[in-house]
Amino acid sequence: MIGSLLNEKKADIDKELANLLADNGSELYKSMNYSLLAGGKRLRPALFLMLLEIFGLEARSYMKVACAIECIHTYSLIHDDLPAMDNDDYRRGKLTNHKIFGPGMATMAGDGLLTYAFELISNQENISPDTRCYLISILAKAAGPDGMVGGQALDIISEGHSSSLPELRKMDSLKTGCLICAPIDMAALIAKCDEEMQKSLHEFAVHLGLLFQITDDLLDVHGSLKEMGKLPGQDEKSLKSTYVTILGEGKAQELANAENRRAKAAISKLGSSFERLNDLADYVLARAN
Amino acid sequence: MIGSLLNEKKADIDKELANLLADNGSELYKSMNYSLLAGGKRLRPALFLMLLEIFGLEARSYMKVACAIECIHTYSLIHDDLPAMDNDDYRRGKLTNHKIFGPGMATMAGDGLLTYAFELISNQENISPDTRCYLISILAKAAGPDGMVGGQALDIISEGHSSSLPELRKMDSLKTGCLICAPIDMAALIAKCDEEMQKSLHEFAVHLGLLFQITDDLLDVHGSLKEMGKLPGQDEKSLKSTYVTILGEGKAQELANAENRRAKAAISKLGSSFERLNDLADYVLARAN
């Protein structure tokens, strides 16, 4: 059920993304489109669209904002994979951007997608200018130095020595969590939902983000290139601390179970229309099993 | 006269930038501040502030937007200097960001500054949300894949083989020109000036941008590390086509003179309050002599 709903959203988003950057024949556009159209779960924009629908809004009116969220996620993957960063060869089942276009062009492709994301939102005339500014602010804060980029920077610093559980949690909440919270906060803003509901949804997103990262670490141990789209065993190879290396597999799985429960508890009072978010939390948990 | 005006603006901007990213002790903030506070001419935000004053507006009310412009310029220098790009060792008279913080952290510092620029503008409550959205759109377009990043990508592709004059002109108009036009377009938008005046100012900016790039190329031949803040002779070393390598010094200087004249001609009918823009065009020309 949730699986088919996510697939439906993914299809909508993929279609919109395919028409986003009309190929102008340049190497830069090829490079941006290569990564943007390489597939991927589209979890972040799907979350945004799903929540809009729960609020009774027409999700298709906000596709450009959904694409902006995915542009930022894709840019972060391109830069994260660079030789100067994680130096990864595979992503979304294909060679990484810099493996095809070189690290200079890959850096520019990331910069281009990041910049374009804000242009996209700034021009959305069916959204009031006031709301557009808030959306840009939420997304920039989540993606910027006090959010995702801040988490990536902690990741660079942690390289080569082991992290404690609180250090790992802080890094992941910035690096992964912020860009899972942002789509939910953005949808709540558009729907003008009250502060209490907004807080509950944000708390759900925080736990979902952690759950997502823990299951990512578990998959890195057992997954395959085909399942994950990237090579498994990279965390061990790069001596990175993960929930699995710090806690062991058993306890990491227990923590995943706990985060799944906490996510669902956060929205337990919001009523039956939010049930598909419970399904989503179960779906993310299941991918680790 | 124009020199002291630019110095005054530079001092205002430097002061504002120093308080922009309150040091939170993280390596990322250190890295961002290292490049942001390394000096530099602050030409782009100064242009923006000067033009606001010509329009009779209180420039200090728009300092955050000026800072956003400089954040984007600084990010572009950090990424441009990376080993994967130009691999430069000096910038603004200091070691480049990656020489101090490593290429991974320098990549993140650039990403952080770029993202933060849009957050800054989105939150400027003394500017109407409608205008904020336009400002973000202008700046993102100028800095993005059809602007500065597009020019950088052409620069990467042109490496190792010589370019024609039209190719060089296209690359420079994107790489340098767009982020010199943007501050002028942004100030014109804030001042709500009529379309004809906006066009004249934009044309001035296009020629000023070209002039700036030609003088940069001339300085690369004769300048010193102390004057330029970066090592001279880099263009020759990297076999890059420049106005000097394509035209020779004499003709490059003639072209600089012509662009100076064209810049001034574009605004000749705008009245005496715009005279300091003439002075600015002369100032930029003089730096090459």
Side-chain angles (χ1 to χ4, degrees):
Chain A
M1 174 58 190
I2 184 74
S4 63
L5 186 64
L6 283 173
N7 279 336
E8 187 193 293
K9 292 283 157 265
K10 174 174 154 53
D12 287 348
I13 295 158
D14 282 345
K15 204 173 151 192
E16 192 80 18
L17 288 173
N19 294 314
L20 197 65
L21 294 163
D23 187 9
N24 65 2
S26 74
E27 208 52 13
L28 178 67
Y29 270 67
K30 280 196 193 102
S31 172
M32 290 193 296
N33 274 324
Y34 174 82
S35 292
L36 197 59
L37 308 180
K41 297 176 289 293
R42 315 300 190 194
L43 179 69
R44 290 154 191 82
L47 252 176
F48 171 73
L49 297 174
M50 271 176 59
L51 205 57
L52 288 174
E53 283 180 350
I54 291 176
F55 285 121
L57 295 168
E58 177 56 72
R60 280 172 201 265
S61 306
Y62 301 92
M63 287 305 287
K64 289 281 192 295
V65 179
C67 287
I69 295 169
E70 189 62 18
C71 282
I72 289 194
H73 177 55
T74 301
Y75 121 76
S76 79
L77 300 180
I78 297 173
H79 281 193
D80 193 35
D81 289 337
L82 284 171
M85 303 282 295
D86 283 357
N87 197 19
D88 278 322
D89 292 348
Y90 288 95
R91 173 70 75 174
R92 292 174 166 175
K94 294 171 73 176
L95 284 168
T96 44
N97 196 294
H98 63 90
K99 282 280 177 187
I100 304 283
F101 296 94
M105 191 60 78
T107 306
M108 289 304 108
D111 291 348
L113 287 168
L114 170 58
T115 312
Y116 185 60
F118 295 111
E119 189 190 334
L120 261 180
I121 302 179
S122 70
N123 288 327
Q124 279 317 288
E125 294 187 353
N126 65 322
I127 305 175
S128 77
D130 195 41
T131 300
R132 273 181 261 163
C133 284
Y134 274 118
L135 291 172
I136 289 168
S137 177
I138 292 172
L139 192 55
K141 223 181 188 65
D146 293 335
M148 187 178 70
V149 169
Q152 293 273 28
L154 289 180
D155 198 9
I156 293 171
I157 290 168
S158 75
E159 226 159 88
H161 61 85
S162 57
S163 304
S164 67
L165 192 60
E167 283 169 343
L168 181 66
R169 198 178 263 259
K170 186 185 172 190
M171 185 186 84
D172 283 340
S173 75
L174 293 172
K175 192 178 155 176
T176 312
C178 284
L179 211 63
I180 288 182
C181 289
I184 290 185
D185 294 341
M186 290 163 80
L189 172 80
I190 290 173
K192 297 186 173 63
C193 78
D194 66 51
E195 204 180 325
E196 202 180 339
M197 183 180 275
Q198 197 275 330
K199 271 190 189 165
S200 300
L201 288 168
H202 184 84
E203 201 188 327
F204 167 82
V206 167
H207 293 296
L208 187 73
L210 269 169
L211 171 60
F212 187 82
Q213 190 57 53
I214 301 165
T215 56
D216 218 53
D217 292 350
L218 285 161
L219 276 168
D220 189 69
V221 183
H222 290 295
S224 65
L225 174 62
K226 199 174 164 211
E227 276 175 295
M228 299 166 67
K230 54 188 177 183
L231 287 173
Q234 294 299 298
D235 294 335
E236 203 185 339
K237 197 181 111 195
S238 60
L239 302 173
K240 269 195 183 170
S241 293
T242 72
Y243 291 99
V244 177
T245 65
I246 294 178
L247 296 170
E249 264 186 81
K251 290 238 183 262
Q253 184 65 57
E254 277 173 36
L255 189 58
N257 297 341
E259 290 301 338
N260 166 275
R261 281 194 304 273
R262 285 175 195 141
K264 293 195 279 191
I267 50 167
S268 62
K269 287 173 188 161
L270 296 189
S272 61
S273 57
F274 290 86
E275 254 168 34
R276 72 182 73 163
L277 294 184
N278 286 341
D279 298 341
L280 184 73
D282 289 341
Y283 180 86
V284 173
L285 177 67
R287 72 186 199 126
N289 293 329
Chain B
M1 174 60 191
I2 183 73
S4 63
L5 186 65
L6 283 173
N7 279 336
E8 187 193 293
K9 292 284 158 265
K10 174 175 153 52
D12 287 348
I13 295 157
D14 282 345
K15 205 172 148 190
E16 193 80 17
L17 289 172
N19 293 315
L20 198 66
L21 294 162
D23 186 10
N24 65 2
S26 75
E27 213 43 21
L28 177 67
Y29 269 67
K30 280 195 193 101
S31 172
M32 290 194 296
N33 274 324
Y34 174 81
S35 292
L36 196 60
L37 308 181
K41 298 176 289 294
R42 315 302 190 192
L43 179 70
R44 292 153 189 82
L47 253 176
F48 171 72
L49 297 175
M50 271 175 58
L51 205 58
L52 289 175
E53 284 180 351
I54 289 175
F55 285 120
L57 295 168
E58 177 56 72
R60 279 171 203 264
S61 304
Y62 301 93
M63 288 305 289
K64 289 280 194 293
V65 179
C67 287
I69 295 168
E70 189 62 20
C71 281
I72 289 195
H73 177 55
T74 301
Y75 120 76
S76 78
L77 301 180
I78 297 173
H79 282 192
D80 193 35
D81 290 337
L82 284 171
M85 302 283 294
D86 283 357
N87 196 19
D88 279 320
D89 292 349
Y90 289 94
R91 173 69 75 174
R92 293 175 165 173
K94 295 170 73 175
L95 284 169
T96 44
N97 195 294
H98 63 89
K99 281 280 178 184
I100 305 282
F101 297 95
M105 190 61 76
T107 306
M108 289 303 108
D111 291 348
L113 287 169
L114 170 58
T115 312
Y116 184 60
F118 295 112
E119 189 190 335
L120 261 180
I121 302 180
S122 70
N123 288 327
Q124 279 317 289
E125 293 188 353
N126 65 322
I127 305 174
S128 78
D130 196 41
T131 301
R132 273 181 263 162
C133 284
Y134 274 117
L135 291 173
I136 289 169
S137 177
I138 292 172
L139 192 55
K141 222 182 189 63
D146 293 336
M148 187 177 71
V149 168
Q152 294 273 29
L154 289 179
D155 198 10
I156 293 171
I157 289 166
S158 74
E159 226 158 89
H161 60 85
S162 58
S163 304
S164 67
L165 192 60
E167 283 170 343
L168 181 65
R169 200 177 262 262
K170 186 184 173 191
M171 185 187 86
D172 283 340
S173 75
L174 293 172
K175 191 178 155 175
T176 313
C178 285
L179 211 62
I180 287 183
C181 290
I184 290 186
D185 294 342
M186 291 162 80
L189 171 80
I190 290 173
K192 299 186 172 63
C193 78
D194 65 51
E195 204 180 323
E196 203 180 338
M197 183 180 275
Q198 197 274 331
K199 271 189 187 164
S200 301
L201 288 169
H202 184 84
E203 201 187 327
F204 167 83
V206 167
H207 293 295
L208 187 74
L210 270 169
L211 172 59
F212 187 81
Q213 189 58 51
I214 300 165
T215 56
D216 218 53
D217 292 351
L218 284 162
L219 277 169
D220 189 68
V221 182
H222 290 295
S224 65
L225 173 60
K226 200 174 164 212
E227 276 175 295
M228 299 166 66
K230 55 188 177 182
L231 286 175
Q234 294 299 298
D235 293 335
E236 205 186 335
K237 197 182 112 195
S238 61
L239 301 174
K240 268 194 184 171
S241 293
T242 72
Y243 291 98
V244 177
T245 65
I246 294 178
L247 296 171
E249 263 186 81
K251 288 235 184 268
Q253 183 66 56
E254 275 174 36
L255 188 58
N257 297 342
E259 291 301 338
N260 166 276
R261 281 194 305 275
R262 285 175 196 140
K264 292 196 279 192
I267 51 168
S268 61
K269 288 175 188 159
L270 296 189
S272 62
S273 59
F274 290 86
E275 255 167 33
R276 72 182 72 164
L277 293 184
N278 286 341
D279 299 341
L280 185 72
D282 289 341
Y283 180 86
V284 173
L285 177 67
R287 70 184 201 127
N289 294 327

